[in-house]
Amino acid sequence: MKMSWMGLGLGVISGVAGGQTVAHESLLGRPAGPTGCHWTAGQQEWLTPSEKGCYATTPDYDETMGYLRRVQGAAPGQVKIEGFGKTGEGRELDVVVVSKDGLFDPAAIHAAKRPIVLVQNSIHAGEMDGKDSCLALLRDMVILKTKAKLLERAVFVFIPMYNADGHERRGAFNRINQDGPAQMGWRGNGTNLNLNRDYLKADTPEAKAFMGMYQRWNPDFFVDDHVTDGADFQYDVTFSIDDGPNVPKATAAWADKVGPEIVRYIDGHGHVGLDTYVELLDEKDLRKGIAIYDDPPRFSTGYVTLTGRPAMLIELHMLKDYKVRVEGNYEALVGLLEIVNRDADKLLALNAAADEENTRWAGKVYPLAIGASGKTEPIAFKGYAYKTAKSEVSGGDWVQYSHVEETMTIPQQVGYKVEASAVAPVAYIVPRQWVDVIDRLAAHGVAMERTTAAWTAAVDTYKCSGMQWQEPPFEGRHPTFNGEASRNPGKYGECVTVKETRTFPAGSAVVKIDQRLAPVAMSWLEPAGPDSALQWGLFDSIFEQKEYGEAYVVERLAREMMAADPKLKAEFEAKVAADPVFAKSAAARLDFFYQRSEFGKANGVGAYPVGRLDSLAGVPLGR
């Protein structure tokens, strides 16, 4: 029985459920979509909540956990639900562990040389498709046993609802671009923060809980399930596996082979896959091509890459109906898990090599921010014919997609260039008073030692100036980078290397670089990192001037300085002549002298407090 996606039918009659709808169906302009759902008598008993309504709905938090507990009760030797923290609103965060033989301890699993695959769902809780696909995959692994072979070597661990608070802010109008289900969750968490911008800065209770869980499990492969916005095209499953300059070359080479294999699996199981994250160079003209995927560590996959693990971002297409999307996600996970089982020894060896490589950054140039190399390659892209018309409503261009399939050859950016970098020191030293900065490092599991006494020494550090703060808030902060545009962090201020004598109090944190999580530490402590502590505003107070000079005092100071230094006098007069705004400001003219005096220098404005050490000689260390 063919069902139109414009009709809503929630009942199951003779094993066939109705189609689905969304409150804004007329905005999508799509033709009739899914057929009905047909279940065998054996399947009926274990239908997931979404399957019962033929994917017209998705279960809420309680119904989801109820189904998971039911499966755990039926297969206690293979399934364990384990809490790892609480959301801001107090909901429990869980992982579901699926093992062939009841081995649920991560240390024992690693010792047994069995790869752990961690799948995260519902970080953007309107994009809950991965949750429903994982419920079905769990059922097929341990109840129906049709996918039991996927547990031969691998242990499957998944987070059903990472953004559990957003998941319960359900509504029909949460995602205008998405076809179903009828009620979907919200992008932000309980305080309206986007958890997929919070990995390195870790402001939220969810992120802090994730870090502890992630360190406990130390997965061998990570997947983050999403639903994309953007252009209309034929693919229902797109994905990317990070292969940038922060990824060890051997791991990147393996990932480059895995991508096409997963596409072949997806395509061979009734879906259309593409191993590319589709970010257009021009959102109104697909033919201009696809941009390189820049993945800084505010994002889940960018963060996981810093820890030396391969990470896969799945983006289902929002205009495909919910049934197609959930089933496409299912096939992508099955295709990946088949490869992980087959390549288990290779994957474990690659991860061990990555761990070793991450301990040897000292003295090498570490890439902090990346961008496109400028090179492109043609790609045969399965799109739809479209046209662009002038809109009498917006006054701009209006892209109108048909549903006539068209394969078009378009350019795709390939290769990376490093846009910000730093030579890794032997260690960093962070004064103990910068508690928030140190606490974030601890949350990430970065190893630190503490000084046992005050220590004064000349250290390499930075002097920062010209910082610009974003005026509208971005993720609850006013960062120095411009929102999502983080590829050129120096554009919004500059930090230059200096050597200065500093005193670090007892209890200051020393972060050695010869550790597995060195890239996490460098990305957090190097100012030019697009998600560094400085960029996110945790060092904002260093840019505040605390002492000032009264005008009548600085007037005398200025005259003394010019009398003592003719070059300074000439510099001042040249600036007055060349800069009319400066010339008209009495305060600016006096500040010119104050900032160049010993009094101004004592303010230390822009002095970055973290030291970079090229040796640990003389540093009073203790645990």
Side-chain angles (χ1 to χ4, degrees):
M1 183 170 109
K2 187 175 177 68
M3 301 296 298
S4 167
W5 70 355
M6 298 301 184
L8 177 63
L10 301 182
V12 179
I13 302 174
S14 301
V16 181
Q20 66 182 49
T21 189
V22 288
H24 45 80
E25 59 188 19
S26 63
L27 302 179
L28 300 181
R30 305 285 297 188
T35 59
C37 296
H38 301 264
W39 314 113
T40 67
Q43 291 173 319
Q44 286 278 3
E45 182 183 357
W46 285 98
L47 292 179
T48 69
S50 282
E51 288 171 340
K52 286 181 179 179
C54 195
Y55 302 95
T57 61
T58 188
D60 64 13
Y61 178 92
D62 288 339
E63 191 177 5
T64 299
M65 296 309 301
Y67 184 85
L68 289 169
R69 284 189 287 269
R70 182 178 172 226
V71 174
Q72 178 183 237
Q78 289 189 277
V79 180
K80 181 182 179 182
I81 301 171
E82 182 177 285
F84 66 89
K86 298 281 188 182
T87 69
E89 294 179 9
R91 293 181 177 88
E92 183 172 276
L93 293 168
D94 295 292
V95 290
V96 180
V97 187
V98 194
S99 168
K100 68 178 180 180
D101 54 5
L103 192 62
F104 297 129
D105 177 68
I109 293 168
H110 285 299
K113 304 296 184 183
R114 290 163 64 176
I116 297 170
V117 176
L118 173 63
V119 178
Q120 176 176 271
N121 297 302
S122 304
I123 186 171
H124 296 152
E127 308 167 22
M128 74 304 295
D129 310 39
K131 173 199 71 176
D132 286 321
S133 71
C134 283
L135 296 188
L137 184 53
L138 169 67
R139 180 262 324 275
D140 294 346
M141 285 176 164
V142 302
I143 302 296
L144 302 183
K145 305 288 188 179
T146 57
K147 297 298 179 185
K149 68 176 184 178
L150 298 178
L151 300 175
E152 181 180 349
R153 284 288 300 274
V155 173
F156 181 48
V157 182
F158 69 92
I159 307 170
M161 296 163 289
Y162 179 41
N163 180 11
D165 292 347
H167 189 278
E168 295 310 281
R169 185 178 167 181
R170 293 156 64 89
F173 299 98
N174 284 351
R175 281 178 64 79
I176 190 173
N177 302 316
Q178 185 169 298
D179 177 33
Q183 297 279 318
M184 59 195 80
W186 186 249
R187 189 174 181 83
N189 74 344
T191 54
N192 208 37
L193 293 178
N194 186 339
L195 296 179
N196 205 28
R197 305 295 183 271
D198 196 39
Y199 279 86
L200 195 56
K201 67 180 174 68
D203 276 340
T204 61
E206 292 90 347
K208 292 180 175 68
F210 177 93
M211 297 310 157
M213 178 275 297
Y214 185 80
Q215 292 155 36
R216 168 172 160 75
W217 283 97
N218 189 19
D220 296 288
F221 200 104
F222 175 81
V223 180
D224 195 2
D225 283 329
H226 285 257
V227 178
T228 189
D229 294 311
D232 197 0
F233 42 73
Q234 297 176 46
Y235 305 101
D236 60 282
V237 184
T238 62
F239 66 89
S240 65
I241 303 175
D242 270 13
D243 62 353
N246 287 329
V247 179
K249 289 182 179 179
T251 304
W254 177 76
D256 286 344
K257 295 179 181 178
V258 166
E261 284 192 76
I262 296 175
V263 168
R264 286 192 290 273
Y265 188 93
I266 291 169
D267 289 354
H269 289 78
H271 295 267
V272 187
L274 178 69
D275 59 337
T276 293
Y277 179 81
V278 183
E279 180 176 340
L280 300 183
L281 289 164
D282 184 341
E283 64 179 13
K284 294 181 179 179
D285 189 356
L286 192 151
R287 286 183 176 84
K288 289 186 178 177
I290 299 174
I292 200 84
Y293 179 47
D294 175 29
D295 198 17
R298 74 189 58 170
F299 300 125
S300 63
T301 47
Y303 174 78
V304 167
T305 297
L306 294 186
T307 72
R309 295 295 177 265
M312 178 179 180
L313 172 67
I314 294 179
E315 292 277 2
L316 308 168
H317 196 271
M318 73 284 182
L319 294 179
K320 304 301 187 284
D321 67 82
Y322 194 51
K323 179 176 185 291
V324 168
R325 299 200 318 262
V326 172
E327 292 177 347
N329 202 137
Y330 178 102
E331 300 301 351
L333 293 178
V334 171
L336 169 67
L337 283 164
E338 285 196 355
I339 293 169
V340 169
N341 277 278
R342 183 197 69 196
D343 291 357
D345 292 329
K346 179 182 293 186
L347 176 59
L348 295 175
L350 289 171
N351 289 342
D355 288 348
E356 173 63 23
E357 186 173 317
N358 276 349
T359 68
R360 293 185 272 106
W361 275 108
K364 298 178 182 177
V365 177
Y366 182 77
L368 294 163
I370 59 175
S373 67
K375 299 177 182 178
T376 63
E377 291 180 353
I379 178 175
F381 188 85
K382 296 178 181 179
Y384 293 119
Y386 65 95
K387 64 180 180 180
T388 303
K390 200 71 174 178
S391 168
E392 69 279 10
V393 176
S394 67
D397 292 333
W398 177 19
V399 181
Q400 300 173 32
Y401 292 97
S402 74
H403 296 99
V404 176
E405 294 181 357
E406 178 181 337
T407 298
M408 51 192 82
T409 300
I410 63 174
Q412 179 180 6
Q413 291 181 340
V414 294
Y416 300 90
K417 69 176 180 180
V418 176
E419 295 187 331
S421 63
V423 176
V426 168
Y428 295 95
I429 181 167
V430 187
R432 65 172 297 164
Q433 62 267 34
W434 294 95
V435 176
D436 282 351
V437 174
I438 295 170
D439 283 352
R440 298 307 201 280
L441 289 170
H444 291 300
V446 173
M448 292 178 281
E449 297 179 45
R450 296 283 185 159
T451 57
T452 56
W455 181 62
T456 300
V459 299
D460 291 328
T461 184
Y462 294 99
K463 178 74 172 179
C464 303
S465 61
M467 309 308 290
Q468 298 178 45
W469 286 265
Q470 180 173 313
E471 197 167 314
F474 177 66
E475 297 309 314
R477 292 179 174 270
H478 296 268
T480 57
F481 56 78
N482 186 20
E484 299 281 10
S486 61
R487 291 186 177 90
N488 297 293
K491 178 179 178 182
Y492 306 102
E494 182 181 27
C495 296
V496 297
T497 54
V498 295
K499 185 175 282 291
E500 291 186 353
T501 298
R502 298 279 182 85
T503 296
F504 298 90
S508 293
V510 175
V511 183
K512 296 178 182 177
I513 291 303
D514 59 348
Q515 61 173 295
R516 183 176 74 86
L517 296 178
V520 175
M522 289 186 283
S523 296
W524 184 239
L525 295 176
E526 285 295 335
D531 285 308
S532 69
L534 183 136
Q535 299 288 351
W536 276 111
L538 278 79
F539 286 114
D540 275 0
S541 60
I542 71 173
F543 300 104
E544 300 176 18
Q545 183 174 325
K546 297 303 183 184
E547 296 287 353
Y548 302 85
E550 297 293 347
Y552 61 86
V553 175
V554 181
E555 287 278 5
R556 295 190 183 94
L557 176 66
R559 285 164 173 77
E560 291 176 1
M561 292 174 71
M562 285 190 287
D565 188 347
K567 289 183 178 178
L568 179 65
K569 181 175 184 293
E571 180 186 350
F572 170 70
E573 290 172 346
K575 187 168 180 63
V576 170
D579 188 341
V581 175
F582 175 81
K584 291 179 181 179
S585 172
R589 289 167 68 141
L590 291 177
D591 193 57
F592 174 91
F593 294 98
Y594 179 77
Q595 296 299 339
R596 287 160 176 76
S597 73
E598 294 303 318
F599 299 96
K601 293 175 185 177
N603 265 292
V605 174
Y608 191 59
V610 177
R612 292 166 41 88
L613 307 179
D614 57 11
S615 169
L616 292 170
V619 181
L621 286 178
R623 293 287 177 184

